[in-house]
Every structure is written in C-alpha cells, then in structure tokens.
C-alpha cells in the first residue's frame, strides 16, 4: 500500500513515514484527562479515609502553547483542579503536594500534556483516631 503526500502529491512507499506536520494530531477529551487526574490523586492518597468520597478533578485544556523539540508537534497545556477529602490529623500541605506531583507526572506520562498548574481543594477533613484510641466520646 502506498500513500500520497498532500503537500507534494508524490507517491511514497509503504515504509516511508509522513512528516510530523502531515500526520495530524490526536485530541484527548477533557473528561479523559479529568479521569486520569482523579485516578492520580487517588493513587497519591491511598488509602482513602473511611467514609471519604473519592477525589474528583476538573480540567481546562488550553490551546497549544509551544512546539515539541523533536518533530515540531504541538504540546497541549492543561490546568487541573482536584477536589478531595483527607483524613485528619495529617500533614495537609504534604498530602496536597503529593497529589500535585502525582497528577503532573501521570497526566504528562499518559497523555503527553504539560500541567503547569494543579489547584488542590480540600473539601472535607475526616477525623481518624490514632491507633489504640477509642472511637467517639469516652465516659
């Protein structure tokens, strides 16, 4: 099977690869990126506190901001907002930082998008008793 180049109209053989500009691009739906970000947040927080809702994320995909150095293909940029519930007491800042790192890493690895901003909103804290203490009030 041979292909015809759109720019030059020449016939290429089966092993000739199209230039990056001719190959087109894959569009990843915003909801897919949001699901990946939410899963990354769950991975960073595992295990979730008892009774806590799983994290959920919303994303905004921005227009291509720059070109990839190899081949000149554009890189999409995405801003992520993650809403989560944490067990308390805990180091809230460290847990939020872990979520940010994991979201940036997983979104970048799975969909090749830059994530310059991850806003983490802690919606609720769930009191988790220290090991060996009783639950509820004591007489």
């Amino acid at each position: 099977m041979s292909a015809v180049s759109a720019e030059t109209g020449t016939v290429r053989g089966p092993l000739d690869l199209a230039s990056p500009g001719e190959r087109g691009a894959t569009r990843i739906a915003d909801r897919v990126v949001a699901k990946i970000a939410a899963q990354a947040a769950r991975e960073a927080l595992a295990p979730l506190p008892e009774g806590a809702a799983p994290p959920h994320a919303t994303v905004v995909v921005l227009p291509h901001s720059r070109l990839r150095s190899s081949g000149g293909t554009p890189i999409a940029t995405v801003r992520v907002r993650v809403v989560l519930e944490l067990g308390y007491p805990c180091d809230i800042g460290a847990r939020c930082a872990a979520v940010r790192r994991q979201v940036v890493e997983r979104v970048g690895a799975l969909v090749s998008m830059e994530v310059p901003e991850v806003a983490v909103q802690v919606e609720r804290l769930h009191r988790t008793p220290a090991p060996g203490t009783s639950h509820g009030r004591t007489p």
Side-chain angles (χ1 to χ4, degrees):
M1 177 174 188
S2 59
V4 177
S5 171
E7 292 176 3
T8 62
T10 59
V11 177
R12 295 190 305 253
L15 296 179
D16 292 340
L17 297 175
S19 66
E22 290 181 10
R23 286 192 291 246
T26 302
R27 170 134 165 61
I28 310 282
D30 297 359
R31 61 185 160 81
V32 172
V33 179
K35 285 183 180 185
I36 291 169
Q39 177 61 37
R42 279 191 292 277
E43 292 169 2
L45 295 175
L48 292 176
E50 186 177 321
H56 62 278
T58 56
V59 300
V60 175
V61 178
L62 304 173
H64 303 302
S65 58
R66 66 181 182 88
L67 298 178
R68 196 178 312 270
S69 59
S70 60
T73 56
I75 297 176
T77 302
V78 63
R79 294 180 194 254
V80 179
R81 181 174 165 264
V82 180
V83 178
L84 49 93
E85 298 179 9
L86 295 175
Y88 186 79
C90 71
D91 185 350
I92 296 171
R95 300 297 300 263
C96 292
V99 168
R100 283 187 194 96
R101 278 190 305 273
Q102 185 72 3
V103 168
V104 168
E105 178 185 318
R106 299 296 285 168
V107 170
L110 294 175
V111 294
S112 299
M113 292 182 167
E114 280 189 346
V115 186
E117 178 183 329
V118 178
V120 178
Q121 176 182 340
V122 178
E123 193 169 76
R124 180 178 292 162
L125 296 173
H126 292 269
R127 183 158 170 77
T128 55
T133 61
S134 61
H135 295 279
R137 296 182 180 185
T138 55

